[in-house]
Amino acid sequence: DAKTTQPTSMDCAEGRAANLPCNHSTISGNEYVYWYRQIHSQGPQYIIHGLKNNETNEMASLIITEDRKSSTLILPHATLRDTAVYYCIAPSGNTGKLIFGQGTTLQVKP
Amino acid sequence: NAGVTQTPKFRILKIGQSMTLQCTQDMNHNYMYWYRQDPGMGLKLIYYSVGAGITDKGEVPNGYNVSRSTTEDFPLRLELAAPSQTSVYFCASSYEAGGYEQYFGPGTRLTVT
């Protein structure tokens, strides 16, 4: 599993885009980058994942650098309900085991 | 689909007691996982299974046992509960490993006193 590094915390104004960075310089060619979030004490919620190309779904966009050593999760119009801990994870392709770090605590403010 | 269900939601155990945390998924997923989350920390993998009859240890397996006799069920057994096992336990499942997301259950909050 590739090690990932994220800032401990970030603030974002409601209605603005939230850009959450993640470094994964040791990622191997077949390892995906996944983003999950955890709101309060609920079970983690899948957001998005990608391998090489940028990805977009109804929740967010994922921008992966060409060398795949870093990525950015973009929440285009953050709401108060997006306040959560966001985890960037690059699990082993063989087992899918998720290694959770401390994540980034995103606080969306009115 | 109910997704991933876990029972019970809450439980208080005395030191030395045993219990089984139940996890069921109705998505016909091959992979299932058990994680624990201590206060203020990220999740840690306890055990996982890549299919019925196949299980393997994760980061923190000591004090726990699992079995996977069916695709749907992946129970976690705690023998001789200790205060260090006070935590929130999450079960998750995915169709395959690479390229597929994990679906998490709502968790079981366990206190050992």
Side-chain angles (χ1 to χ4, degrees), chain A residues 25-93:
Chain A
S25 57
T26 61
I27 196 169
S28 64
N30 66 345
E31 288 178 334
Y32 286 80
V33 177
Y34 285 78
W35 284 83
Y36 287 81
R37 72 180 182 183
Q38 189 173 26
I39 297 173
H40 195 44
S41 299
Q42 299 175 22
Q45 177 190 23
Y46 164 81
I47 301 173
I48 198 167
H49 73 280
L51 186 61
K52 295 180 182 178
N53 300 322
N54 298 336
E55 302 287 345
T56 296
N57 63 20
E58 65 277 5
M59 289 183 68
S61 295
L62 175 61
I63 308 298
I64 304 174
T65 58
E66 193 169 341
D67 62 9
R68 301 216 322 126
K69 292 186 177 181
S70 65
S71 60
T72 300
L73 177 74
I74 301 172
L75 307 177
H77 305 287
T79 70
L80 298 178
R81 287 192 299 270
D82 292 321
T83 292
V85 180
Y86 287 78
Y87 296 99
C88 167
I89 304 170
S92 161

